[in-house]
Amino acid sequence: SEKGDWIFVKENEKNYNIEHFVIPEHYEGDVSNVLIPHGLILDRIEKLARQILSQYTDRLVVCCVLKGGHQFFADLVGFLKKYTTKEGKHLPIALDFIRVKSYENDTSSGSVHISMSEKELKALKGRDVLIVEDIIDTGRTMVALLDHLKKYELKSIKVASLFVKRTHLSNGFTPEYVGFSVPDVFIVGYCLDYNDYFRDLDHVCSISPAGQKKYFS
Ligand code: 5GP
């Protein structure tokens, strides 16, 4: 996809006042502003689902990268199932799950630990696979994952990421489907976490200093 096709969330913009939205009581004071409201995220995913649907014909394996990609995956699959064109086009989909842990202190290779058995990986041979991830930051995790999948002879492999961060640390990796281009700040909500907190917050927000302190571990 072209960068111009993504929704651009501006730098240093306060976007939405926290007072204008419903925030779970247990997170009151822990987030400083709403960067992307939940409704906008869903609207954007509906469009991505239509684009994906128009570009595949054969059975598609949609593969969720856990845990962060779960909410995007769930909503995307929901739209993929719901959406049928006037021509009656629909797409049979299979669901798969993968847990990827990047080793941050592994300096050179950017290697990742992938929690899919050899048997499961071999079953992907000859299939169209769409990897669903929450956010691309440096791109190291995704490049390592794609590298690992190479040897299993998939028919095709593409990546859908809800967010891509604008950072000078990027390795240049660009997913085929992107929801939003976001500034270089740490975001939480919509399944993106800070030490496993904030996954249960629907809007994408930035953490307040109080929240950072409270959930620091
Ligand atoms: P990368 O390998 O692209 O640098 O990092 C990708 C992973 O880092 C994502 O899957 C996500 O788990 C985590 N990550 C990167 N930026 C953020 C962020 O702003 N917020 C949260 N919650 N996680 C992030």
Side-chain angles (χ1 to χ4, degrees):
S1 71
E2 301 290 319
K3 286 187 182 173
D5 294 339
W6 313 347
I7 291 182
F8 190 92
V9 180
K10 279 190 213 151
E11 231 85 45
N12 302 323
E13 196 183 332
K14 284 284 174 236
N15 292 72
Y16 304 97
N17 187 327
I18 211 84
E19 302 297 326
H20 295 163
F21 292 88
V22 177
I23 303 292
E25 256 173 63
H26 53 275
Y27 290 137
E28 256 170 41
D30 301 338
V31 287
S32 52
N33 59 286
V34 173
L35 224 67
I36 312 171
H38 186 227
L40 180 56
I41 296 171
L42 292 180
D43 289 337
R44 182 70 184 128
I45 296 173
E46 180 169 18
K47 177 72 178 192
L48 293 178
R50 288 189 175 220
Q51 287 172 345
I52 290 165
L53 216 53
S54 73
Q55 284 161 18
Y56 286 98
T57 44
D58 290 339
R59 187 160 186 255
L60 176 67
V61 180
V62 186
C63 183
C64 173
V65 180
L66 296 168
K67 293 178 189 175
H70 161 263
Q71 196 59 58
F72 174 36
F73 172 84
D75 289 324
L76 182 67
V77 169
F79 281 120
L80 286 174
K81 287 194 294 187
K82 194 174 106 182
Y83 180 58
T84 305
T85 65
K86 269 189 236 155
E87 302 85 51
K89 182 179 170 176
H90 60 97
L91 185 72
I93 51 177
L95 310 183
D96 224 326
F97 300 86
I98 195 165
R99 193 151 183 175
V100 181
K101 275 219 173 3
S102 40
Y103 291 126
E104 277 177 19
N105 298 322
D106 184 332
T107 44
S108 60
S109 59
S111 72
V112 291
H113 175 256
I114 293 159
S115 70
M116 234 180 172
S117 71
E118 200 59 20
K119 195 176 162 217
E120 288 172 304
L121 286 164
K122 280 184 176 151
L124 296 176
K125 187 175 173 176
R127 313 289 297 275
D128 286 308
V129 176
L130 179 69
I131 306 282
V132 178
E133 170 70 298
D134 53 357
I135 184 166
I136 305 292
D137 186 4
T138 66
R140 281 185 47 171
T141 306
M142 194 49 67
V143 165
L145 173 59
L146 294 176
D147 206 53
H148 186 85
L149 292 175
K150 248 187 219 156
K151 62 172 184 265
Y152 296 96
E153 300 174 66
L154 315 191
K155 182 175 160 207
S156 74
I157 184 150
K158 288 188 183 178
V159 175
S161 183
L162 187 56
F163 308 108
V164 169
K165 206 177 263 192
R166 296 191 297 276
T167 165
H168 67 278
L169 296 175
S170 164
N171 65 5
F173 172 77
T174 304
E176 281 79 8
Y177 305 99
V178 175
F180 302 84
S181 161
V182 295
D184 197 2
V185 293
F186 193 80
I187 56 176
V188 294
Y190 195 73
C191 220
L192 281 96
D193 75 307
Y194 177 63
N195 292 328
D196 263 325
Y197 288 92
F198 300 109
R199 290 198 200 274
D200 55 338
L201 169 70
D202 282 336
H203 312 294
V204 165
C205 301
S206 39
I207 315 179
S208 69
Q212 271 184 33
K213 213 169 142 193
K214 190 164 160 191
Y215 303 114
F216 182 80
S217 66

